[in-house]
Amino acid sequence: MEINLNNAPASPVIQDEGKPVKWQISDDLVDYPGAVAYMEERVQGIRNQTADEMVWLLEHPPLYSAGTSAAPDELVDPDRFPVFKTGRGGRYTYHGPGQRVAYVMLDLKHRRGDVRQFVHDLEEWVIRALAQFNVTGERRAGRVGIWVRRGATGNPVAREDKIGAIGVRVRKWVTYHGIAINVDPALDHFGGIIPCGITDHGVTSLWDLGLTPTIPEVDTVLRTTFEDVFQVSTKS
């Protein structure tokens, strides 16, 4: 799991306030440092109970981000796009136009204080969203993210490609960073890194699979499935 815990107490006080989660969508590309700074500020506000929990949907300009476990040799082409070190767990990943990123800022003290369950729920969220487009997303032991099978089972040329990434950080029981789903990014942009340190499998997208949803259509599905998985209402 791509998790980075920061200063988490041993046993959170669990509450259930049932407040709606703020649902925010950015139409323009958002630079990565600005996004991280915004999340840091929001996380502090959630901890202080001066800001609502939030799911923030956006796209970034082309870039590579390095998680806390990133190895230098996994950055194959360091001059291709800007590279940002980040506090989330995990290794190198790509972000860019056509990839829907959802940053999830929730207070786990209101959600059983279970980080592993939170990551499982993020995975379930991606899987259920993909299912709405008739795509079967699957977990794989020892491999982070959500995967799809390419080709028939038993076919010697069949493979599995990654369609959804998950990387989170938890600061004093408030989460940030989140998920990314490949809708229609330039898949060749992943060639500048070894995504998540995995060399034996590739990457894919909804459009690469022959589907053509728009980003707003994906957003609609994400909102419905988020409410279903996390059992919470959202507000714009």
Side-chain angles (χ1 to χ4, degrees):
M1 292 181 291
E2 297 188 39
I3 305 173
N4 187 357
L5 293 171
N6 185 285
N7 297 326
S11 178
V13 176
I14 301 174
Q15 305 173 17
D16 184 9
E17 297 183 357
K19 294 180 179 179
V21 173
K22 172 74 174 176
W23 193 263
Q24 179 167 304
I25 299 175
S26 292
D27 295 325
D28 298 326
L29 298 180
V30 180
D31 71 277
Y32 194 79
V36 173
Y38 181 88
M39 284 191 288
E40 295 273 1
E41 181 179 359
R42 189 80 184 197
V43 165
Q44 185 64 39
I46 293 170
R47 286 183 53 218
N48 294 339
Q49 299 185 25
T50 58
D52 291 331
E53 297 173 300
M54 173 183 283
V55 175
W56 184 18
L57 273 58
L58 55 90
E59 294 171 271
H60 288 300
L63 62 92
Y64 298 128
S65 67
T68 54
S69 300
D73 60 354
E74 294 169 0
L75 182 59
V76 178
D77 188 353
D79 298 322
R80 188 169 188 180
F81 298 124
V83 180
F84 298 98
K85 292 185 178 180
T86 179
R88 64 159 174 81
R91 299 165 92 159
Y92 280 104
T93 192
Y94 166 77
H95 292 310
Q99 182 190 70
R100 181 44 105 201
V101 174
Y103 290 137
V104 183
M105 290 157 272
L106 300 179
D107 189 341
L108 295 187
K109 294 194 304 294
H110 301 161
R111 305 175 193 285
R112 295 181 290 176
D114 189 334
V115 177
R116 292 187 181 277
Q117 182 63 47
F118 170 67
V119 174
H120 182 276
D121 288 345
L122 288 178
E123 294 171 337
E124 185 66 21
W125 180 26
V126 176
I127 289 169
R128 293 194 192 187
L130 293 173
Q132 296 300 305
F133 299 102
N134 295 316
V135 173
T136 301
E138 299 177 320
R139 301 174 178 89
R140 285 291 178 267
R143 274 192 261 145
V144 178
I146 301 302
W147 301 79
V148 295
R149 302 184 189 188
R150 310 296 298 273
T153 302
N155 184 336
V157 299
R159 69 179 195 272
E160 293 181 341
D161 289 341
K162 189 173 187 177
I163 195 170
I166 298 172
V168 301
R169 187 174 187 182
V170 182
R171 174 173 291 171
K172 295 185 178 179
W173 297 101
V174 180
T175 71
Y176 55 124
H177 297 279
I179 69 169
I181 296 177
N182 296 333
V183 180
D184 186 28
L187 294 180
D188 65 300
H189 286 183
F190 286 87
I193 57 172
I194 299 175
C196 301
I198 297 171
T199 59
D200 298 335
H201 304 278
V203 291
T204 190
S205 68
L206 289 172
W207 281 55
D208 184 50
L209 295 173
L211 305 165
T212 58
T214 64
I215 291 288
E217 288 171 339
V218 172
D219 291 348
T220 298
V221 166
L222 284 172
R223 187 167 188 169
T224 300
T225 50
F226 177 85
E227 292 178 339
D228 184 38
V229 170
F230 286 88
Q231 293 294 292
V232 66
S233 61
T234 59
K235 63 180 181 179
S236 300

